Amino acid sequence: MCGISVVLALSASSAQQTDLDTLQAMIGHRGPDGTGVYREPRIGLGHRRLAIIDTSHAADQPFHWNHAYVLVFNGEIYNYLELRDELISLGFQFRTNSDTEVLIAAYAHWGPSCQHRFNGMWAFAIWDRQRGHLFCSRDRFGVKPLFWAQSRGQLFLASEIKQLRAVGIGTKVNPNELSAYLYTGITNSSAETFFSDIYSLPPGHSLSVAPGGASPVIERWYDLQSAVSQHSTVHASAISSLLRDSVRLRMRSDVTVGSCLSGGLDSSSIVMLAAEARHHDGVHPPTCIHARATDGEVDEYTYASLVADAASCRMITVVPTPDQFWSQLEAVCLAQEEPFGSPSIFMQYFVMQAAKADGCKVMLDGQGADEVLLGYSKYTVLAIADAWRRRGLYGLTRALLNSWQVNSGLNPISTLKYLVGTSLGPLRIAFTKKRLSFLRLSTDPSQQLFRAISAASFDTPRTHLLELFHTSLPALLRYEDRNSMAHSVEARLPFLDYRLVEACLSLATSEKIHHGWSKYPLRSSVILPPEIAWRRSKLGFNAPERSWIGPRSSLMLQRILQSPIMAEIADLTGLQSAWQGLDRRDQWRLFNTAIWAEVMGLESL
């Protein structure tokens, strides 16, 4: 896990090497274990290293291969040992024990098709010295970030937005992203960012620049829908085996590995399987870290303790206070770089802070499970539609009753809200526009999102793709990357092993939501203690918002009213009048926009 920087001259006569130095200077937190650069007249490549696999200097980057290629790489190739053995059988020789060297050797042998052989998370750039060709890639689901921009006749690539802003790019706000966020709460739904002229390379895509090329060529190399359609029949019982192997691969490390633990199904499954893998190897189970909420309705400490005991893990518990939340507010907003939907990500931030303090350079986490196994309550509409199609009115009735019986967050009213909210996009945007009538932003971006959600409302495959690449997972992965890397910690996500994702998506809806129970393959496995497997509540690392932000509502409003950017996008008098009637999430998004604009130095659109 690291940070990368690239400056390539396109129409300019040469790359400005001072720009490369500026990019590098902005990401010391991503790579405190080493820094390196490679320079040619036309290109500069930079790397900040967080040493995880083969921590020797022999594996430092930029990494050279036979005077032909130069690589800068952020991430991990988990199946590097298997690929290394295959390449050795083909006559390759290696001088390190790193996945970095395996990656560049794989590219030397297979070219761009090497991407399909990798099981991992990555964003990398390879410079072909002989041809003058640049090739970049991002992993299948976008676990690792890669941003790009063109300016002053140069192409810039970076691991974080703040690098590009430091060289004068992205000085203005992208109103489309800001509008979608304020009206819907959705972020990172496309290749655009909150900053004009800065773009994200989409997940499962490559970017290349041919010799003498004047602009980058972006191509899709991974198509999840096609991969699932070609998938052989998978039984639900195979999911636990695939997850077990995913955890095993993600335990590979030359530094300490720990795990986040909320007490929910996802993190609990990972902790149990990680402990099992360690027991098999004859070593102590990994340390798990739990962030305990002070509001009783979101406190999962009892569940987390039960899992830690069952796995014989040492559990570190952090209890973030309101004062800690407010003292870290600007720091988290700066780390995240873009606005975010709720204060819940602060809990993860404090977990990663504790991981660093305890010496855990790698942390396992559960992102992706809800999206691939239909874990959110809103997915009940998919089970209802599936039951109606298969068994008519009887199936519909049973699906409703089962959902209300086993899910503490569902009842007839909430189910109706999900049905209306997902299927009637125009009504939803009309209601939202009325509620936030003081905003002066166009609702067109929100209408596009709501239309896409409505089109997929009763279609499980389309919902999976929408959630994985547009409406849910991209934001979660951004939170994960920035929160962990702010503390020089690598986050690994077993539920996003591509084999597991493809298998989960190939299951029928009724196998994922069975008799009302979400994520049924996890619940019915023998991985979890019964008290966890069959718990009816779902909380996650929820922040105690009631005690954190409730008492400071008036102070939040004052910060909003003082914000130049809020004065430009909203009628502040109308906002002030509507403030008390807004729900906590609406208030948070308005407040977060004001703080984000302040810490990023933005004063106008």
Side-chain angles (χ1 to χ4, degrees):
M1 183 74 70
C2 310
I4 66 175
S5 311
V6 179
V7 182
L8 174 68
L10 296 173
S11 59
S13 59
S14 62
Q16 294 296 314
Q17 299 298 341
T18 55
D19 286 339
L20 179 65
D21 295 335
T22 301
L23 296 179
Q24 283 284 90
M26 298 302 295
I27 52 170
H29 53 283
R30 296 190 74 93
D33 297 331
T35 183
V37 296
Y38 172 80
R39 306 179 194 269
E40 285 185 19
R42 190 183 169 206
I43 194 171
L45 298 99
H47 186 261
R48 299 296 302 245
R49 187 181 187 199
L50 181 65
I52 302 294
I53 294 175
D54 188 348
T55 60
S56 72
H57 289 300
D60 285 349
Q61 300 179 44
F63 197 93
H64 297 252
W65 180 264
N66 292 342
H67 305 289
Y69 303 111
V70 184
L71 165 71
V72 287
F73 162 46
N74 170 29
E76 301 288 355
I77 306 301
Y78 301 121
N79 63 332
Y80 75 102
L81 293 178
E82 290 78 9
L83 288 173
R84 190 175 193 269
D85 288 343
E86 182 178 358
L87 288 164
I88 288 173
S89 73
L90 294 170
F92 281 75
Q93 295 181 335
F94 293 88
R95 59 185 174 84
T96 75
N97 294 311
S98 68
D99 60 331
T100 301
E101 188 174 18
V102 171
L103 190 163
I104 198 168
Y107 182 81
H109 184 68
W110 290 300
S113 64
C114 68
Q115 298 166 106
H116 296 278
R117 293 176 172 267
F118 297 150
N119 185 342
M121 56 179 184
W122 67 82
F124 67 75
I126 294 177
W127 175 245
D128 186 327
R129 296 178 58 188
Q130 298 170 351
R131 294 174 56 216
H133 178 269
L134 178 69
F135 180 80
C136 308
S137 173
R138 193 176 181 202
D139 65 69
R140 293 172 179 84
F141 305 111
V143 179
K144 290 294 98 194
L146 187 59
F147 299 98
W148 68 275
Q150 285 182 256
S151 178
R152 305 187 302 278
Q154 300 182 113
L155 172 69
F156 296 83
L157 294 119
S159 293
E160 295 191 5
I161 290 172
K162 59 175 64 73
Q163 294 171 266
L164 301 177
R165 297 197 72 239
V167 293
I169 306 172
T171 58
K172 297 293 185 180
V173 177
N174 179 350
N176 291 334
E177 286 295 298
L178 184 58
S179 174
Y181 167 68
L182 289 172
Y183 282 117
T184 72
I186 295 171
T187 64
N188 309 102
S189 63
S190 72
E192 295 186 21
T193 70
F194 277 77
F195 300 87
S196 61
D197 304 321
I198 296 179
Y199 302 92
S200 173
L201 181 65
H205 282 66
S206 65
L207 180 152
S208 60
V209 181
S215 61
V217 175
I218 295 175
E219 298 178 302
R220 179 192 297 274
W221 69 267
Y222 178 68
D223 187 331
L224 176 59
Q225 188 172 14
S226 176
V228 171
S229 67
Q230 298 172 16
H231 216 279
S232 58
T233 302
V234 174
H235 295 291
S237 58
I239 298 302
S240 58
S241 296
L242 285 168
L243 179 59
R244 178 175 281 104
D245 194 57
S246 176
V247 171
R248 178 187 66 83
L249 287 178
R250 283 157 182 78
M251 296 291 288
R252 288 176 170 174
S253 171
D254 293 328
V255 297
T256 303
V257 178
S259 184
C260 304
L261 177 60
S262 68
L265 295 178
D266 313 334
S267 62
S268 297
S269 297
I270 291 170
V271 167
M272 294 299 294
L273 290 174
E276 176 188 293
R278 285 290 182 84
H279 177 75
H280 181 269
D281 293 338
V283 295
H284 293 296
T287 294
C288 53
I289 303 178
H290 173 71
R292 184 174 186 179
T294 52
D295 291 357
E297 65 269 23
V298 292
D299 182 10
E300 293 192 282
Y301 176 77
T302 300
Y303 293 115
S305 296
L306 191 155
V307 173
D309 289 343
S312 300
C313 288
R314 178 174 72 106
M315 185 173 83
I316 297 172
T317 301
V318 295
V319 188
T321 65
D323 287 344
Q324 286 177 301
F325 165 71
W326 287 102
S327 68
Q328 295 292 316
L329 178 62
E330 283 81 6
V332 174
C333 288
L334 184 60
Q336 286 295 320
E337 302 188 301
E338 297 177 290
F340 45 95
S342 79
S344 62
I345 73 165
F346 281 78
M347 300 296 272
Q348 184 189 61
Y349 182 88
F350 290 124
V351 165
M352 296 302 176
Q353 191 176 65
K356 180 177 182 178
D358 195 61
C360 291
K361 289 184 79 171
V362 174
M363 290 291 284
L364 306 179
D365 209 348
Q367 304 291 13
D370 287 312
E371 288 74 17
V372 301
L373 283 171
L374 303 181
Y376 296 124
S377 296
K378 64 182 179 180
Y379 295 143
T380 303
V381 299
L382 298 171
I384 292 170
D386 179 68
W388 168 260
R389 285 190 291 263
R390 289 187 297 110
R391 305 185 68 185
L393 182 60
Y394 174 79
L396 172 65
T397 304
R398 291 307 311 167
L400 287 169
L401 293 175
N402 286 335
S403 296
W404 298 337
Q405 181 179 1
V406 305
N407 192 320
S408 64
L410 280 177
N411 53 52
I413 295 177
S414 62
T415 302
L416 181 62
K417 288 181 178 179
Y418 288 131
L419 285 167
V420 172
T422 56
S423 61
L424 300 179
L427 181 62
R428 188 174 177 183
I429 191 59
F431 176 76
T432 303
K433 188 175 181 179
K434 181 179 180 181
R435 189 178 74 249
L436 303 175
S437 59
F438 50 81
L439 289 177
R440 299 191 182 115
L441 294 165
S442 169
T443 59
D444 288 347
S446 302
Q447 292 183 46
Q448 294 175 22
L449 285 168
F450 282 145
R451 278 197 294 268
I453 292 169
S454 295
S457 57
F458 302 118
D459 185 326
T460 299
R462 289 180 71 175
T463 295
H464 274 308
L465 293 174
L466 190 66
E467 295 281 273
L468 285 167
F469 295 109
H470 299 287
T471 57
S472 179
L473 187 64
L476 296 176
L477 295 181
R478 189 246 296 184
Y479 306 159
E480 187 84 44
D481 176 80
R482 305 307 191 282
N483 277 341
S484 59
M485 292 309 298
H487 299 101
S488 306
V489 171
E490 173 175 293
R492 297 179 174 182
L493 311 176
F495 282 100
L496 290 181
D497 186 304
Y498 77 95
R499 303 168 302 165
L500 180 61
V501 173
E502 292 172 6
C504 288
L505 267 61
S506 72
L507 295 176
T509 303
S510 58
E511 293 182 281
K512 286 174 276 201
I513 301 178
H514 187 67
H515 295 318
W517 292 103
S518 63
K519 293 190 278 198
Y520 193 75
L522 275 187
R523 295 182 188 270
S524 60
S525 71
V526 295
I527 296 172
L528 294 164
E531 299 91 335
I532 302 298
W534 303 106
R535 59 175 292 192
R536 298 170 63 238
S537 60
K538 175 180 173 56
L539 299 176
F541 273 137
N542 271 344
E545 296 178 18
R546 175 173 54 80
S547 60
W548 279 10
I549 66 177
R552 304 207 187 188
S553 174
S554 60
L555 294 177
M556 293 168 62
L557 178 59
Q558 289 305 310
R559 292 288 290 270
I560 293 169
L561 297 177
Q562 294 165 6
S563 168
I565 215 121
M566 293 304 299
E568 187 173 349
I569 67 172
D571 170 11
L572 296 184
T573 301
L575 188 159
Q576 188 170 10
S577 299
W579 180 254
Q580 293 303 326
L582 298 176
D583 65 34
R584 197 169 287 147
R585 291 300 167 87
D586 284 332
Q587 292 181 346
W588 169 259
R589 288 197 288 269
L590 295 164
F591 175 66
N592 189 213
T593 299
I595 301 302
W596 163 74
E598 180 181 321
V599 300
M600 300 303 288
L602 297 162
E603 294 189 353
S604 68
L605 293 182

